[in-house]
Amino acid sequence: GNGLQLMGDSHIDFGKNIAYFEKNIPFSISLWFKNLKEGNAGPIITRSGGLFNGNRGFDFMLKENGQLTANINHTFPDNSIAVITKDSIKANTWQHLAMTWDGSGYAKGLKLFLNGKPMELVIEVDNLESSILYYGNDKKNWGGMRALGIGRRFDKTMSDAIADECRVFERELSLLEIEKLHGEVSNE
């Protein structure tokens, strides 16, 4: 693994033309990830307008206890979907992470994978009714939609982690495809 290390004061920015998905568009994102410190927390990969925009967009985050969370938001938590893994990921080891969304508008359509296998999820919020890009009939957005990025969600950053081999798909990948992505490159 020759990934890019997240230092906390920087992030990886893919630009605004990547992963521009509305709530009804299926998509998948995968990457190799190595958390370098126990108790580390922060954004792994996000496309979010940030707090003042209701975190409109989507995010995939690491909690201090190693659990993963994923959200699809219009305005969190009132108009969004939020899931959390039952299990935690390990620190100091390369792991292949993936998130898939089926575009259904329901939490059961949001899935997380660890090393090619589905993770057991707890649904925390299941109430997505509106766009994850805009609000209102005029399709406005407070401050605009930020670019797809690794290691940053608005003012929150990730440090002490390495990311590599990020891939974005404009469709929901099957379990077989997720397993194949995990098996293509071993960062061990």
Side-chain angles (χ1 to χ4, degrees):
N2 293 322
L4 295 172
Q5 185 165 351
L6 302 169
M7 306 296 286
D9 60 353
S10 63
H11 66 283
I12 302 165
D13 186 316
F14 291 97
K16 292 189 175 187
N17 294 327
I18 305 287
Y20 196 75
F21 302 124
E22 185 51 276
K23 74 171 189 168
N24 62 331
I25 305 288
F27 68 89
S28 302
I29 296 175
S30 72
L31 75 159
W32 284 93
F33 182 78
K34 186 175 186 179
N35 175 20
L36 300 173
K37 186 173 90 177
E38 290 284 341
N40 200 11
I44 297 172
I45 189 162
T46 69
R47 175 89 195 237
S48 169
L51 181 62
F52 297 117
N53 210 6
N55 288 322
R56 192 166 294 120
F58 59 86
D59 55 53
F60 191 5
M61 310 274 284
L62 174 67
K63 293 180 62 96
E64 288 178 353
N65 64 3
Q67 288 177 291
L68 300 172
T69 66
N71 299 326
I72 309 279
N73 303 313
H74 173 74
T75 306
F76 183 80
D78 298 326
N79 190 340
S80 65
I81 289 170
V83 298
I84 186 169
T85 59
K86 286 191 174 182
D87 294 323
S88 299
I89 64 170
K90 297 176 186 172
N92 297 305
T93 185
W94 279 105
Q95 296 168 96
H96 186 260
L97 305 178
M99 175 174 97
T100 65
W101 170 243
D102 68 1
S104 67
Y106 297 101
K108 67 181 180 182
L110 181 58
K111 298 180 181 109
L112 301 180
F113 299 83
L114 174 63
N115 296 326
K117 304 293 180 208
M119 297 187 78
E120 194 171 348
L121 303 175
V122 174
I123 295 172
E124 294 186 317
V125 180
D126 193 3
N127 190 43
L128 181 63
E129 297 178 4
S130 305
S131 169
I132 65 170
L133 298 174
Y134 309 104
Y135 72 89
N137 293 333
D138 295 334
K139 294 187 174 183
K140 295 182 179 180
N141 210 332
W142 243 45
M145 181 60 69
R146 294 202 178 259
L148 178 70
I150 295 177
R152 180 178 180 192
R153 183 181 78 179
F154 195 59
D155 65 340
K156 291 187 180 196
T157 58
M158 170 75 78
S159 63
D160 301 311
I162 304 172
D164 200 7
E165 296 286 324
C166 181
R167 297 180 183 186
V168 179
F169 302 87
E170 194 172 333
R171 63 187 178 85
E172 179 187 18
L173 295 180
S174 69
L175 176 58
L176 185 61
E177 291 171 310
I178 297 287
E179 289 171 344
K180 182 170 173 37
L181 283 174
H182 168 251
E184 278 183 2
V185 179
S186 178
N187 275 310
E188 299 286 337

